Amino acid sequence: SMYKPVDKLQHSFLDFNQPLGLKMNPENRWIRLADSIPWDELEQKYADLFPSDTGNVAKPLRMALGSLIIQKKFQFSDRDLVEQITENPYLQYFIGLPGYQDEPPFDPSTLVLFRKRLDVDAIMDANAYMFDNKKDDNHTPPPGPSSDGSSSAPDKTAPGTKENQGTLIVDATCAPANIRYPQDISLLNEAREKLESIVFRFCKTYGLILPRRYARKARKDYLAYAKCRKHTGKQTRKAIKKQLSYVRRDLENLERFMSEGYAPVKKEIPLLLTIMELYRQQQYMYEHKIHSVADRIVSIHQPWIRPIVRGKAKVATEFGAKLDVSIDERGYARIEHISFGAYNESQYVQEAVGRYYERTGHYPERLLVDQIYRTRDNRAFCKQYGIGMSGPKLGRPSAKQQSGKEKKQEYQDNTDRIGIEREFSLEKHSYGLGLITTKLEATQLSSIALSVFVSNLFKMQRRIFCAFMEKWGLFPFSAGRFITILA
């Protein structure tokens, strides 16, 4: 597809072709939010994603990104989103339509293309463009860790070098995907059912004799186990052994067909490869009597998802992408690292500090992190650049009592670090980070990035509103305090 710049047909809300003489309110939140987003600058970056000059013309950025912002805000399904936009003139203004219209602006299936095109990198580039601090023209390049792993301490006396200022909070969380809890027996049963349908398709397409699959017996064995409320270890191993044998029989039949020259359908190949890897893992765990294996598959249709052991009170293990998020003193969130595989989050905190320097021209005065980030390497890094890391020192507690100033600082650090937990709670409860419902790997990452971006957008809108109200003396207290209450 190709992209063409959008003609600026939408002048203002006053001539928006209001239905039935409706007079639109200029103080509506969607009108104010639309006016605060630099659509033209973001559109220039979006056009770079379309290198071709031929093909169908893509939808404008404002329509694509605006629709995804509305969906994140209200947690609509794709069909519901299109219906809501069709019925609401304010939402139509927000996505950049030149006037109110009764027809849907796009098909619900187009939203999948929006999420594919606006991937995690594009969303976080827009987040950085809108919410990063403006760089000073005279600040020196960051003297932190370079690409070859070397580092040099900053010279505080060098011209253009600023003293450490501000606060950076870093923490990790998991964005759970919408999948069934992955029990071994249920995964093998699902794999068996998929293989049975593939074997049947082979025989029907090529006129082969349908081999015995023992489908009814296999289903009966699975239900006999699944309907029991409690299971012993012996019963579980026996049920898994039976399902492994059924899966192995189907795989052998398919291997025989393919050795004779019959090819599977192209769309069945990824599914077949996933089932073969699942069988290998389950057979290995059964033979060695273990319950974990490297790169364990927990969903047949989403094989990129991995178990993330978090050790939380609510649920010990989550299944989805793990991400490191940072918040600066202004309260805007950024994704520092994201991956579907489990990783040690402490290895990315130095990169987060380096990006903070690139945004602001100085290092943070405080780095607020939990215990897993306080490694010896990270402590040495913070000491080298004059950054105060929260938490107690290494080693046994000193017999010397803490001074009142140290106790007050430790209490303040613990209090301020709660801000990132509040951010996680807000994004999971209000912006969809608590359950990712998209089905593709790229769209799941895009959905996670959108949760962070939309949270920042509405935080910015609240601050603009509070600053306006404080300017006119409508609040008896500061806007910063009111923002904290709203958040």
Side-chain angles (χ1 to χ4, degrees), residues 78 109 111-117 119-120 177-179 299 301-305 321 340 436-448:
D78 290 353
S109 61
L111 287 163
V112 181
L113 302 179
F114 290 168
R115 287 189 287 266
K116 285 183 178 180
R117 184 68 64 181
D119 58 4
V120 59
N178 187 26
I179 64 171
S299 174
H301 294 285
Q302 301 177 41
W304 54 85
I305 296 178
F340 280 104
I436 306 301
T437 57
T438 50
K439 304 298 183 183
L440 304 178
E441 182 177 7
T443 56
Q444 286 182 349
L445 295 176
S446 174
S447 180
I448 294 170

PDB file of all heavy atoms in Angstrom, residues 78 109 111-117 119-120 177-179 299 301-305 321 340 436-448:
ATOM      1  N   ASP A  78     -13.527  -4.490  18.340  1.00  0.00           N
ATOM      2  CA  ASP A  78     -13.391  -3.834  17.043  1.00  0.00           C
ATOM      3  C   ASP A  78     -14.750  -3.439  16.472  1.00  0.00           C
ATOM      4  O   ASP A  78     -14.924  -2.338  15.938  1.00  0.00           O
ATOM      5  CB  ASP A  78     -12.652  -4.753  16.065  1.00  0.00           C
ATOM      6  CG  ASP A  78     -11.184  -4.905  16.424  1.00  0.00           C
ATOM      7  OD1 ASP A  78     -10.724  -4.189  17.340  1.00  0.00           O
ATOM      8  OD2 ASP A  78     -10.495  -5.728  15.804  1.00  0.00           O
ATOM      9  N   SER A 109     -12.413  -5.004  10.449  1.00  0.00           N
ATOM     10  CA  SER A 109     -11.182  -5.757  10.173  1.00  0.00           C
ATOM     11  C   SER A 109     -10.000  -4.839   9.865  1.00  0.00           C
ATOM     12  O   SER A 109      -8.842  -5.259   9.985  1.00  0.00           O
ATOM     13  CB  SER A 109     -11.404  -6.713   9.003  1.00  0.00           C
ATOM     14  OG  SER A 109     -11.752  -6.002   7.826  1.00  0.00           O
ATOM     15  N   LEU A 111      -8.965  -2.469  11.633  1.00  0.00           N
ATOM     16  CA  LEU A 111      -8.238  -2.168  12.872  1.00  0.00           C
ATOM     17  C   LEU A 111      -7.042  -3.097  13.054  1.00  0.00           C
ATOM     18  O   LEU A 111      -6.043  -2.708  13.678  1.00  0.00           O
ATOM     19  CB  LEU A 111      -9.186  -2.278  14.069  1.00  0.00           C
ATOM     20  CG  LEU A 111     -10.194  -1.121  14.187  1.00  0.00           C
ATOM     21  CD1 LEU A 111     -11.330  -1.496  15.111  1.00  0.00           C
ATOM     22  CD2 LEU A 111      -9.497   0.133  14.682  1.00  0.00           C
ATOM     23  N   VAL A 112      -7.137  -4.321  12.546  1.00  0.00           N
ATOM     24  CA  VAL A 112      -5.986  -5.220  12.615  1.00  0.00           C
ATOM     25  C   VAL A 112      -4.822  -4.644  11.817  1.00  0.00           C
ATOM     26  O   VAL A 112      -3.664  -4.691  12.252  1.00  0.00           O
ATOM     27  CB  VAL A 112      -6.370  -6.614  12.099  1.00  0.00           C
ATOM     28  CG1 VAL A 112      -5.174  -7.561  12.195  1.00  0.00           C
ATOM     29  CG2 VAL A 112      -7.537  -7.183  12.898  1.00  0.00           C
ATOM     30  N   LEU A 113      -5.121  -4.076  10.653  1.00  0.00           N
ATOM     31  CA  LEU A 113      -4.074  -3.447   9.847  1.00  0.00           C
ATOM     32  C   LEU A 113      -3.509  -2.224  10.551  1.00  0.00           C
ATOM     33  O   LEU A 113      -2.304  -1.957  10.466  1.00  0.00           O
ATOM     34  CB  LEU A 113      -4.636  -3.055   8.475  1.00  0.00           C
ATOM     35  CG  LEU A 113      -5.231  -4.195   7.641  1.00  0.00           C
ATOM     36  CD1 LEU A 113      -5.775  -3.657   6.325  1.00  0.00           C
ATOM     37  CD2 LEU A 113      -4.202  -5.283   7.392  1.00  0.00           C
ATOM     38  N   PHE A 114      -4.354  -1.468  11.248  1.00  0.00           N
ATOM     39  CA  PHE A 114      -3.860  -0.320  12.015  1.00  0.00           C
ATOM     40  C   PHE A 114      -2.844  -0.774  13.063  1.00  0.00           C
ATOM     41  O   PHE A 114      -1.786  -0.168  13.235  1.00  0.00           O
ATOM     42  CB  PHE A 114      -5.019   0.398  12.698  1.00  0.00           C
ATOM     43  CG  PHE A 114      -5.943   1.132  11.755  1.00  0.00           C
ATOM     44  CD1 PHE A 114      -7.173   1.619  12.193  1.00  0.00           C
ATOM     45  CD2 PHE A 114      -5.586   1.352  10.439  1.00  0.00           C
ATOM     46  CE1 PHE A 114      -8.023   2.296  11.338  1.00  0.00           C
ATOM     47  CE2 PHE A 114      -6.432   2.024   9.564  1.00  0.00           C
ATOM     48  CZ  PHE A 114      -7.654   2.496  10.015  1.00  0.00           C
ATOM     49  N   ARG A 115      -3.196  -1.843  13.780  1.00  0.00           N
ATOM     50  CA  ARG A 115      -2.300  -2.316  14.842  1.00  0.00           C
ATOM     51  C   ARG A 115      -1.011  -2.902  14.280  1.00  0.00           C
ATOM     52  O   ARG A 115       0.048  -2.805  14.923  1.00  0.00           O
ATOM     53  CB  ARG A 115      -3.025  -3.347  15.708  1.00  0.00           C
ATOM     54  CG  ARG A 115      -4.074  -2.745  16.632  1.00  0.00           C
ATOM     55  CD  ARG A 115      -4.607  -3.768  17.606  1.00  0.00           C
ATOM     56  NE  ARG A 115      -5.479  -4.730  16.958  1.00  0.00           N
ATOM     57  CZ  ARG A 115      -6.799  -4.622  16.897  1.00  0.00           C
ATOM     58  NH1 ARG A 115      -7.399  -3.569  17.450  1.00  0.00           N
ATOM     59  NH2 ARG A 115      -7.529  -5.545  16.311  1.00  0.00           N
ATOM     60  N   LYS A 116      -1.089  -3.523  13.096  1.00  0.00           N
ATOM     61  CA  LYS A 116       0.133  -4.046  12.480  1.00  0.00           C
ATOM     62  C   LYS A 116       1.036  -2.913  12.014  1.00  0.00           C
ATOM     63  O   LYS A 116       2.262  -2.980  12.174  1.00  0.00           O
ATOM     64  CB  LYS A 116      -0.230  -4.942  11.292  1.00  0.00           C
ATOM     65  CG  LYS A 116      -0.778  -6.300  11.675  1.00  0.00           C
ATOM     66  CD  LYS A 116      -1.036  -7.131  10.428  1.00  0.00           C
ATOM     67  CE  LYS A 116      -1.547  -8.523  10.772  1.00  0.00           C
ATOM     68  NZ  LYS A 116      -1.807  -9.338   9.562  1.00  0.00           N
ATOM     69  N   ARG A 117       0.424  -1.886  11.406  1.00  0.00           N
ATOM     70  CA  ARG A 117       1.231  -0.781  10.887  1.00  0.00           C
ATOM     71  C   ARG A 117       1.817   0.056  12.019  1.00  0.00           C
ATOM     72  O   ARG A 117       2.998   0.423  11.986  1.00  0.00           O
ATOM     73  CB  ARG A 117       0.361   0.099   9.975  1.00  0.00           C
ATOM     74  CG  ARG A 117       1.092   1.220   9.311  1.00  0.00           C
ATOM     75  CD  ARG A 117       2.076   0.730   8.302  1.00  0.00           C
ATOM     76  NE  ARG A 117       1.446   0.040   7.182  1.00  0.00           N
ATOM     77  CZ  ARG A 117       2.095  -0.511   6.173  1.00  0.00           C
ATOM     78  NH1 ARG A 117       3.409  -0.491   6.162  1.00  0.00           N
ATOM     79  NH2 ARG A 117       1.448  -1.116   5.193  1.00  0.00           N
ATOM     80  N   ASP A 119       3.219  -0.363  14.960  1.00  0.00           N
ATOM     81  CA  ASP A 119       3.796  -1.365  15.844  1.00  0.00           C
ATOM     82  C   ASP A 119       4.353  -0.714  17.099  1.00  0.00           C
ATOM     83  O   ASP A 119       4.213   0.497  17.321  1.00  0.00           O
ATOM     84  CB  ASP A 119       4.870  -2.168  15.105  1.00  0.00           C
ATOM     85  CG  ASP A 119       5.982  -1.276  14.566  1.00  0.00           C
ATOM     86  OD1 ASP A 119       5.953  -0.056  14.843  1.00  0.00           O
ATOM     87  OD2 ASP A 119       6.880  -1.789  13.880  1.00  0.00           O
ATOM     88  N   VAL A 120       5.001  -1.534  17.929  1.00  0.00           N
ATOM     89  CA  VAL A 120       5.474  -1.031  19.225  1.00  0.00           C
ATOM     90  C   VAL A 120       6.506   0.076  19.039  1.00  0.00           C
ATOM     91  O   VAL A 120       6.523   1.057  19.803  1.00  0.00           O
ATOM     92  CB  VAL A 120       6.038  -2.201  20.061  1.00  0.00           C
ATOM     93  CG1 VAL A 120       7.183  -2.901  19.361  1.00  0.00           C
ATOM     94  CG2 VAL A 120       6.470  -1.727  21.449  1.00  0.00           C
ATOM     95  N   ALA A 177      -1.682 -12.239  28.636  1.00  0.00           N
ATOM     96  CA  ALA A 177      -2.444 -12.468  27.412  1.00  0.00           C
ATOM     97  C   ALA A 177      -3.717 -13.250  27.738  1.00  0.00           C
ATOM     98  O   ALA A 177      -3.799 -13.951  28.755  1.00  0.00           O
ATOM     99  CB  ALA A 177      -1.605 -13.231  26.397  1.00  0.00           C
ATOM    100  N   ASN A 178      -4.684 -13.123  26.867  1.00  0.00           N
ATOM    101  CA  ASN A 178      -5.988 -13.761  27.077  1.00  0.00           C
ATOM    102  C   ASN A 178      -5.942 -15.206  26.574  1.00  0.00           C
ATOM    103  O   ASN A 178      -6.455 -15.535  25.502  1.00  0.00           O
ATOM    104  CB  ASN A 178      -7.076 -12.964  26.348  1.00  0.00           C
ATOM    105  CG  ASN A 178      -8.465 -13.482  26.664  1.00  0.00           C
ATOM    106  OD1 ASN A 178      -8.687 -14.068  27.719  1.00  0.00           O
ATOM    107  ND2 ASN A 178      -9.396 -13.275  25.754  1.00  0.00           N
ATOM    108  N   ILE A 179      -5.319 -16.085  27.356  1.00  0.00           N
ATOM    109  CA  ILE A 179      -5.238 -17.496  27.004  1.00  0.00           C
ATOM    110  C   ILE A 179      -5.734 -18.342  28.173  1.00  0.00           C
ATOM    111  O   ILE A 179      -5.778 -17.885  29.320  1.00  0.00           O
ATOM    112  CB  ILE A 179      -3.799 -17.920  26.639  1.00  0.00           C
ATOM    113  CG1 ILE A 179      -2.863 -17.768  27.846  1.00  0.00           C
ATOM    114  CG2 ILE A 179      -3.289 -17.133  25.451  1.00  0.00           C
ATOM    115  CD1 ILE A 179      -1.490 -18.366  27.629  1.00  0.00           C
ATOM    116  N   SER A 299       0.639 -22.061  24.691  1.00  0.00           N
ATOM    117  CA  SER A 299      -0.537 -21.838  23.864  1.00  0.00           C
ATOM    118  C   SER A 299      -0.211 -22.280  22.445  1.00  0.00           C
ATOM    119  O   SER A 299       0.802 -21.851  21.879  1.00  0.00           O
ATOM    120  CB  SER A 299      -0.963 -20.371  23.879  1.00  0.00           C
ATOM    121  OG  SER A 299      -2.021 -20.141  22.964  1.00  0.00           O
ATOM    122  N   HIS A 301      -1.948 -21.700  19.638  1.00  0.00           N
ATOM    123  CA  HIS A 301      -2.200 -20.656  18.650  1.00  0.00           C
ATOM    124  C   HIS A 301      -1.328 -19.414  18.880  1.00  0.00           C
ATOM    125  O   HIS A 301      -1.233 -18.572  17.989  1.00  0.00           O
ATOM    126  CB  HIS A 301      -3.673 -20.255  18.677  1.00  0.00           C
ATOM    127  CG  HIS A 301      -4.588 -21.358  18.217  1.00  0.00           C
ATOM    128  ND1 HIS A 301      -4.719 -21.703  16.896  1.00  0.00           N
ATOM    129  CD2 HIS A 301      -5.395 -22.198  18.902  1.00  0.00           C
ATOM    130  CE1 HIS A 301      -5.570 -22.697  16.777  1.00  0.00           C
ATOM    131  NE2 HIS A 301      -6.004 -23.013  17.977  1.00  0.00           N
ATOM    132  N   GLN A 302      -0.714 -19.276  20.057  1.00  0.00           N
ATOM    133  CA  GLN A 302       0.182 -18.161  20.340  1.00  0.00           C
ATOM    134  C   GLN A 302       1.476 -18.731  20.939  1.00  0.00           C
ATOM    135  O   GLN A 302       1.745 -18.572  22.132  1.00  0.00           O
ATOM    136  CB  GLN A 302      -0.475 -17.171  21.305  1.00  0.00           C
ATOM    137  CG  GLN A 302      -1.790 -16.606  20.767  1.00  0.00           C
ATOM    138  CD  GLN A 302      -2.470 -15.682  21.753  1.00  0.00           C
ATOM    139  OE1 GLN A 302      -1.831 -14.871  22.421  1.00  0.00           O
ATOM    140  NE2 GLN A 302      -3.794 -15.796  21.850  1.00  0.00           N
ATOM    141  N   PRO A 303       2.284 -19.417  20.118  1.00  0.00           N
ATOM    142  CA  PRO A 303       3.448 -20.137  20.661  1.00  0.00           C
ATOM    143  C   PRO A 303       4.566 -19.234  21.153  1.00  0.00           C
ATOM    144  O   PRO A 303       5.523 -19.735  21.768  1.00  0.00           O
ATOM    145  CB  PRO A 303       3.905 -20.981  19.464  1.00  0.00           C
ATOM    146  CG  PRO A 303       3.434 -20.240  18.262  1.00  0.00           C
ATOM    147  CD  PRO A 303       2.141 -19.592  18.666  1.00  0.00           C
ATOM    148  N   TRP A 304       4.486 -17.931  20.899  1.00  0.00           N
ATOM    149  CA  TRP A 304       5.538 -17.016  21.362  1.00  0.00           C
ATOM    150  C   TRP A 304       5.380 -16.661  22.843  1.00  0.00           C
ATOM    151  O   TRP A 304       6.302 -16.112  23.446  1.00  0.00           O
ATOM    152  CB  TRP A 304       5.514 -15.736  20.529  1.00  0.00           C
ATOM    153  CG  TRP A 304       4.169 -15.077  20.506  1.00  0.00           C
ATOM    154  CD1 TRP A 304       3.656 -14.208  21.426  1.00  0.00           C
ATOM    155  CD2 TRP A 304       3.146 -15.261  19.523  1.00  0.00           C
ATOM    156  NE1 TRP A 304       2.385 -13.821  21.079  1.00  0.00           N
ATOM    157  CE2 TRP A 304       2.037 -14.457  19.904  1.00  0.00           C
ATOM    158  CE3 TRP A 304       3.047 -16.007  18.362  1.00  0.00           C
ATOM    159  CZ2 TRP A 304       0.868 -14.400  19.157  1.00  0.00           C
ATOM    160  CZ3 TRP A 304       1.885 -15.941  17.621  1.00  0.00           C
ATOM    161  CH2 TRP A 304       0.808 -15.142  18.018  1.00  0.00           C
ATOM    162  N   ILE A 305       4.244 -16.949  23.438  1.00  0.00           N
ATOM    163  CA  ILE A 305       4.007 -16.600  24.840  1.00  0.00           C
ATOM    164  C   ILE A 305       4.759 -17.565  25.735  1.00  0.00           C
ATOM    165  O   ILE A 305       4.762 -18.780  25.506  1.00  0.00           O
ATOM    166  CB  ILE A 305       2.499 -16.612  25.147  1.00  0.00           C
ATOM    167  CG1 ILE A 305       1.786 -15.530  24.342  1.00  0.00           C
ATOM    168  CG2 ILE A 305       2.245 -16.415  26.633  1.00  0.00           C
ATOM    169  CD1 ILE A 305       0.291 -15.504  24.538  1.00  0.00           C
ATOM    170  N   ALA A 321       3.702 -10.814  27.903  1.00  0.00           N
ATOM    171  CA  ALA A 321       4.952 -10.083  27.709  1.00  0.00           C
ATOM    172  C   ALA A 321       5.400  -9.438  29.017  1.00  0.00           C
ATOM    173  O   ALA A 321       4.592  -8.950  29.800  1.00  0.00           O
ATOM    174  CB  ALA A 321       4.779  -9.015  26.628  1.00  0.00           C
ATOM    175  N   PHE A 340       8.700 -11.228  25.285  1.00  0.00           N
ATOM    176  CA  PHE A 340       7.824 -12.314  25.708  1.00  0.00           C
ATOM    177  C   PHE A 340       8.576 -13.351  26.535  1.00  0.00           C
ATOM    178  O   PHE A 340       7.957 -14.170  27.205  1.00  0.00           O
ATOM    179  CB  PHE A 340       7.185 -12.988  24.484  1.00  0.00           C
ATOM    180  CG  PHE A 340       6.016 -12.228  23.938  1.00  0.00           C
ATOM    181  CD1 PHE A 340       6.136 -11.479  22.784  1.00  0.00           C
ATOM    182  CD2 PHE A 340       4.791 -12.254  24.577  1.00  0.00           C
ATOM    183  CE1 PHE A 340       5.063 -10.771  22.270  1.00  0.00           C
ATOM    184  CE2 PHE A 340       3.712 -11.543  24.084  1.00  0.00           C
ATOM    185  CZ  PHE A 340       3.849 -10.813  22.930  1.00  0.00           C
ATOM    186  N   ILE A 436      -4.436  -8.566  27.603  1.00  0.00           N
ATOM    187  CA  ILE A 436      -4.208  -8.272  26.193  1.00  0.00           C
ATOM    188  C   ILE A 436      -5.023  -9.257  25.366  1.00  0.00           C
ATOM    189  O   ILE A 436      -4.782 -10.468  25.409  1.00  0.00           O
ATOM    190  CB  ILE A 436      -2.709  -8.375  25.847  1.00  0.00           C
ATOM    191  CG1 ILE A 436      -1.880  -7.480  26.782  1.00  0.00           C
ATOM    192  CG2 ILE A 436      -2.478  -7.997  24.403  1.00  0.00           C
ATOM    193  CD1 ILE A 436      -2.240  -6.018  26.728  1.00  0.00           C
ATOM    194  N   THR A 437      -5.993  -8.743  24.617  1.00  0.00           N
ATOM    195  CA  THR A 437      -6.936  -9.598  23.898  1.00  0.00           C
ATOM    196  C   THR A 437      -6.591  -9.776  22.424  1.00  0.00           C
ATOM    197  O   THR A 437      -7.265 -10.553  21.746  1.00  0.00           O
ATOM    198  CB  THR A 437      -8.359  -9.018  24.012  1.00  0.00           C
ATOM    199  OG1 THR A 437      -8.366  -7.676  23.517  1.00  0.00           O
ATOM    200  CG2 THR A 437      -8.821  -9.025  25.459  1.00  0.00           C
ATOM    201  N   THR A 438      -5.609  -9.067  21.900  1.00  0.00           N
ATOM    202  CA  THR A 438      -5.224  -9.268  20.507  1.00  0.00           C
ATOM    203  C   THR A 438      -4.521 -10.615  20.352  1.00  0.00           C
ATOM    204  O   THR A 438      -3.988 -11.166  21.322  1.00  0.00           O
ATOM    205  CB  THR A 438      -4.315  -8.131  20.030  1.00  0.00           C
ATOM    206  OG1 THR A 438      -3.243  -7.952  20.975  1.00  0.00           O
ATOM    207  CG2 THR A 438      -5.086  -6.838  19.925  1.00  0.00           C
ATOM    208  N   LYS A 439      -4.498 -11.134  19.115  1.00  0.00           N
ATOM    209  CA  LYS A 439      -4.099 -12.525  18.892  1.00  0.00           C
ATOM    210  C   LYS A 439      -2.715 -12.695  18.273  1.00  0.00           C
ATOM    211  O   LYS A 439      -2.142 -13.779  18.362  1.00  0.00           O
ATOM    212  CB  LYS A 439      -5.124 -13.219  17.982  1.00  0.00           C
ATOM    213  CG  LYS A 439      -6.556 -13.164  18.494  1.00  0.00           C
ATOM    214  CD  LYS A 439      -6.700 -13.881  19.827  1.00  0.00           C
ATOM    215  CE  LYS A 439      -8.148 -13.874  20.302  1.00  0.00           C
ATOM    216  NZ  LYS A 439      -8.288 -14.521  21.636  1.00  0.00           N
ATOM    217  N   LEU A 440      -2.175 -11.665  17.629  1.00  0.00           N
ATOM    218  CA  LEU A 440      -0.897 -11.785  16.944  1.00  0.00           C
ATOM    219  C   LEU A 440       0.228 -11.231  17.805  1.00  0.00           C
ATOM    220  O   LEU A 440       0.012 -10.383  18.674  1.00  0.00           O
ATOM    221  CB  LEU A 440      -0.940 -11.042  15.607  1.00  0.00           C
ATOM    222  CG  LEU A 440      -2.048 -11.459  14.635  1.00  0.00           C
ATOM    223  CD1 LEU A 440      -1.993 -10.599  13.379  1.00  0.00           C
ATOM    224  CD2 LEU A 440      -1.947 -12.927  14.286  1.00  0.00           C
ATOM    225  N   GLU A 441       1.431 -11.716  17.547  1.00  0.00           N
ATOM    226  CA  GLU A 441       2.580 -11.275  18.343  1.00  0.00           C
ATOM    227  C   GLU A 441       2.819  -9.780  18.184  1.00  0.00           C
ATOM    228  O   GLU A 441       3.014  -9.058  19.169  1.00  0.00           O
ATOM    229  CB  GLU A 441       3.821 -12.061  17.926  1.00  0.00           C
ATOM    230  CG  GLU A 441       5.064 -11.716  18.735  1.00  0.00           C
ATOM    231  CD  GLU A 441       6.261 -12.547  18.360  1.00  0.00           C
ATOM    232  OE1 GLU A 441       6.171 -13.311  17.374  1.00  0.00           O
ATOM    233  OE2 GLU A 441       7.299 -12.444  19.044  1.00  0.00           O
ATOM    234  N   ALA A 442       2.783  -9.290  16.949  1.00  0.00           N
ATOM    235  CA  ALA A 442       3.035  -7.866  16.709  1.00  0.00           C
ATOM    236  C   ALA A 442       1.925  -7.004  17.294  1.00  0.00           C
ATOM    237  O   ALA A 442       2.190  -5.946  17.878  1.00  0.00           O
ATOM    238  CB  ALA A 442       3.176  -7.608  15.209  1.00  0.00           C
ATOM    239  N   THR A 443       0.665  -7.442  17.148  1.00  0.00           N
ATOM    240  CA  THR A 443      -0.438  -6.625  17.651  1.00  0.00           C
ATOM    241  C   THR A 443      -0.513  -6.655  19.170  1.00  0.00           C
ATOM    242  O   THR A 443      -1.007  -5.704  19.775  1.00  0.00           O
ATOM    243  CB  THR A 443      -1.763  -7.105  17.052  1.00  0.00           C
ATOM    244  OG1 THR A 443      -1.959  -8.496  17.341  1.00  0.00           O
ATOM    245  CG2 THR A 443      -1.775  -6.895  15.555  1.00  0.00           C
ATOM    246  N   GLN A 444      -0.041  -7.716  19.803  1.00  0.00           N
ATOM    247  CA  GLN A 444       0.010  -7.729  21.263  1.00  0.00           C
ATOM    248  C   GLN A 444       1.019  -6.715  21.785  1.00  0.00           C
ATOM    249  O   GLN A 444       0.739  -5.975  22.742  1.00  0.00           O
ATOM    250  CB  GLN A 444       0.351  -9.132  21.758  1.00  0.00           C
ATOM    251  CG  GLN A 444      -0.789 -10.121  21.639  1.00  0.00           C
ATOM    252  CD  GLN A 444      -0.450 -11.497  22.173  1.00  0.00           C
ATOM    253  OE1 GLN A 444       0.708 -11.790  22.449  1.00  0.00           O
ATOM    254  NE2 GLN A 444      -1.444 -12.346  22.311  1.00  0.00           N
ATOM    255  N   LEU A 445       2.182  -6.651  21.158  1.00  0.00           N
ATOM    256  CA  LEU A 445       3.173  -5.647  21.557  1.00  0.00           C
ATOM    257  C   LEU A 445       2.650  -4.238  21.285  1.00  0.00           C
ATOM    258  O   LEU A 445       2.862  -3.318  22.091  1.00  0.00           O
ATOM    259  CB  LEU A 445       4.480  -5.885  20.810  1.00  0.00           C
ATOM    260  CG  LEU A 445       5.227  -7.189  21.121  1.00  0.00           C
ATOM    261  CD1 LEU A 445       6.446  -7.334  20.222  1.00  0.00           C
ATOM    262  CD2 LEU A 445       5.641  -7.247  22.583  1.00  0.00           C
ATOM    263  N   SER A 446       1.969  -4.068  20.156  1.00  0.00           N
ATOM    264  CA  SER A 446       1.383  -2.758  19.844  1.00  0.00           C
ATOM    265  C   SER A 446       0.336  -2.372  20.868  1.00  0.00           C
ATOM    266  O   SER A 446       0.255  -1.210  21.283  1.00  0.00           O
ATOM    267  CB  SER A 446       0.783  -2.793  18.443  1.00  0.00           C
ATOM    268  OG  SER A 446       0.089  -1.599  18.156  1.00  0.00           O
ATOM    269  N   SER A 447      -0.481  -3.335  21.306  1.00  0.00           N
ATOM    270  CA  SER A 447      -1.511  -3.050  22.296  1.00  0.00           C
ATOM    271  C   SER A 447      -0.903  -2.631  23.628  1.00  0.00           C
ATOM    272  O   SER A 447      -1.408  -1.736  24.313  1.00  0.00           O
ATOM    273  CB  SER A 447      -2.395  -4.284  22.478  1.00  0.00           C
ATOM    274  OG  SER A 447      -3.406  -4.054  23.431  1.00  0.00           O
ATOM    275  N   ILE A 448       0.200  -3.257  24.012  1.00  0.00           N
ATOM    276  CA  ILE A 448       0.878  -2.890  25.261  1.00  0.00           C
ATOM    277  C   ILE A 448       1.426  -1.471  25.176  1.00  0.00           C
ATOM    278  O   ILE A 448       1.270  -0.663  26.109  1.00  0.00           O
ATOM    279  CB  ILE A 448       1.995  -3.905  25.558  1.00  0.00           C
ATOM    280  CG1 ILE A 448       1.403  -5.283  25.857  1.00  0.00           C
ATOM    281  CG2 ILE A 448       2.863  -3.438  26.723  1.00  0.00           C
ATOM    282  CD1 ILE A 448       2.429  -6.388  25.925  1.00  0.00           C
TER     283      ILE A 448
END
